[in-house]
Amino acid sequence: MIILKSKSEIELMRKSGAILRDLLLYLEEKVKPGVSTKKLDEYAYDYIKKHNAQPSFLGYGGFPASICTSIDEVVVHGIPSHRRLEEGMIIGVDVGAILNGWQSDAARTFLVGEVSEEKKRLVETTRESFFVGVEQFRAGSRLGDISHAIQEYNESRGFSIVRAMVGHGIGRQMHEDPQVPNFGRAGHGVRLETGLVLAIEPMVNAGTWQVTTLDDDWTCVTLDGQPSAHYENTVALTENGAEILTL
Ligand code: MG
């Protein structure tokens, strides 16, 4: 069941989203060779708490941290550890917060120092495809218009779309209906209307679209070991069009 949000509820989600927007800018400055992913998690936890919010990932389904840190071939759900970042890596940082009962969810993929041209192109294309998808987030259009636009943008540039995980509605719960795949048919799916709030999140691989989960039951990696990128924002459809709440 899709739960549409009122103007005042979107205002509350805007405040929740602003925390993640600023947190991700703060973490971007911290991403450098030598820093551990656990340290990044500590920065995130402290930042969210300082802003009177709760880290929604911590304890979710037993997840042990406030952020997911997904290096190179890790697609999503990487667990922060003592592993230190090295020059040339890419790292996806995914984070969620709850403020006054309202959720927000966002991710960026950061470059660690100097990175290969291929990785840079993957990260940039993934980010761009999010905005191409958001252009289709209009009252009267269909969900499949967003999905198709994201798929087309990435595949036409030689990259592949992860199927096993998708974006989602968001509100009082982190995962609400509808699911938002990054692949699909234009003109199909639910009709988009004002009050709909979605976490739109392309997950894009350099090689095969296939993924697998490691023995920790969380870490999702590409099957061929090639790099993967992730970019996500919480986006509300308002009377004035799509508004990105976490950017
Ligand atoms: Mg999400």
Side-chain angles (χ1 to χ4, degrees):
M1 185 190 62
I2 293 173
I3 304 167
L4 298 176
K5 279 79 187 176
S6 68
K7 232 175 172 173
S8 60
E9 289 171 334
I10 289 174
E11 174 56 25
L12 291 168
M13 292 192 76
R14 194 177 281 127
K15 291 199 170 96
S16 178
I19 295 174
L20 295 190
R21 172 197 66 204
D22 295 342
L23 167 58
L24 285 162
L25 289 170
Y26 170 69
L27 288 179
E28 184 167 24
E29 290 172 19
K30 302 291 183 189
V31 167
K32 292 190 172 80
V35 70
S36 73
T37 51
K38 204 172 181 61
K39 189 72 196 170
L40 295 176
D41 181 52
E42 286 170 20
Y43 288 134
Y45 177 87
D46 291 345
Y47 189 96
I48 292 168
K49 286 289 191 176
K50 202 175 84 185
H51 290 80
N52 303 313
Q54 300 301 320
S56 57
F57 291 9
L58 186 61
Y60 185 90
F63 192 77
S66 301
I67 60 174
C68 301
T69 50
S70 304
I71 294 170
D72 289 341
E73 76 282 5
V74 180
V75 178
V76 286
H77 303 165
I79 301 173
S81 72
H82 293 292
R83 184 175 181 192
R84 290 175 189 279
L85 300 184
E86 294 165 25
E87 183 98 10
M89 287 175 166
I90 57 173
I91 177 173
V93 175
D94 192 353
V95 59
I98 313 167
L99 180 69
N100 299 319
W102 291 93
Q103 301 264 353
S104 50
D105 191 359
R108 309 279 182 262
T109 299
F110 300 124
L111 311 180
V112 185
E114 275 304 309
V115 165
S116 72
E117 282 307 315
E118 177 68 356
K119 280 183 178 175
K120 255 188 226 171
R121 202 171 68 86
L122 172 67
V123 170
E124 191 57 16
T125 301
T126 304
R127 192 185 69 85
E128 287 164 0
S129 74
F130 163 85
F131 292 96
V132 167
V134 168
E135 276 175 35
Q136 301 299 320
F137 193 13
R138 295 184 290 233
S141 292
R142 301 275 193 166
L143 188 64
D145 297 334
I146 299 175
S147 303
H148 178 78
I150 292 172
Q151 178 178 18
E152 174 63 24
Y153 192 84
N154 286 294
E155 289 184 350
S156 69
R157 284 157 180 78
F159 298 124
S160 68
I161 293 290
V162 173
R163 261 66 170 177
M165 282 152 308
V166 297
H168 48 94
I170 181 168
R172 286 192 176 276
Q173 303 298 322
M174 178 157 55
H175 295 117
E176 295 184 359
D177 287 337
Q179 292 199 336
V180 184
N182 298 301
F183 55 94
R185 293 162 72 192
H188 287 71
V190 297
R191 206 172 279 287
L192 306 173
E193 48 186 319
T194 302
L196 188 58
V197 184
L198 302 175
I200 299 175
E201 50 176 323
M203 288 159 265
V204 181
N205 295 350
T208 180
W209 58 271
Q210 289 172 290
V211 300
T212 187
T213 305
L214 300 185
D215 286 342
D216 62 19
D217 286 338
W218 280 108
T219 311
C220 173
V221 299
T222 57
L223 201 57
D224 60 7
Q226 290 206 55
S228 182
H230 184 203
Y231 186 87
E232 174 182 27
N233 284 297
T234 299
V235 190
L237 191 49
T238 73
E239 287 162 3
N240 304 317
E243 179 184 337
I244 303 172
L245 305 181
T246 48
L247 191 64

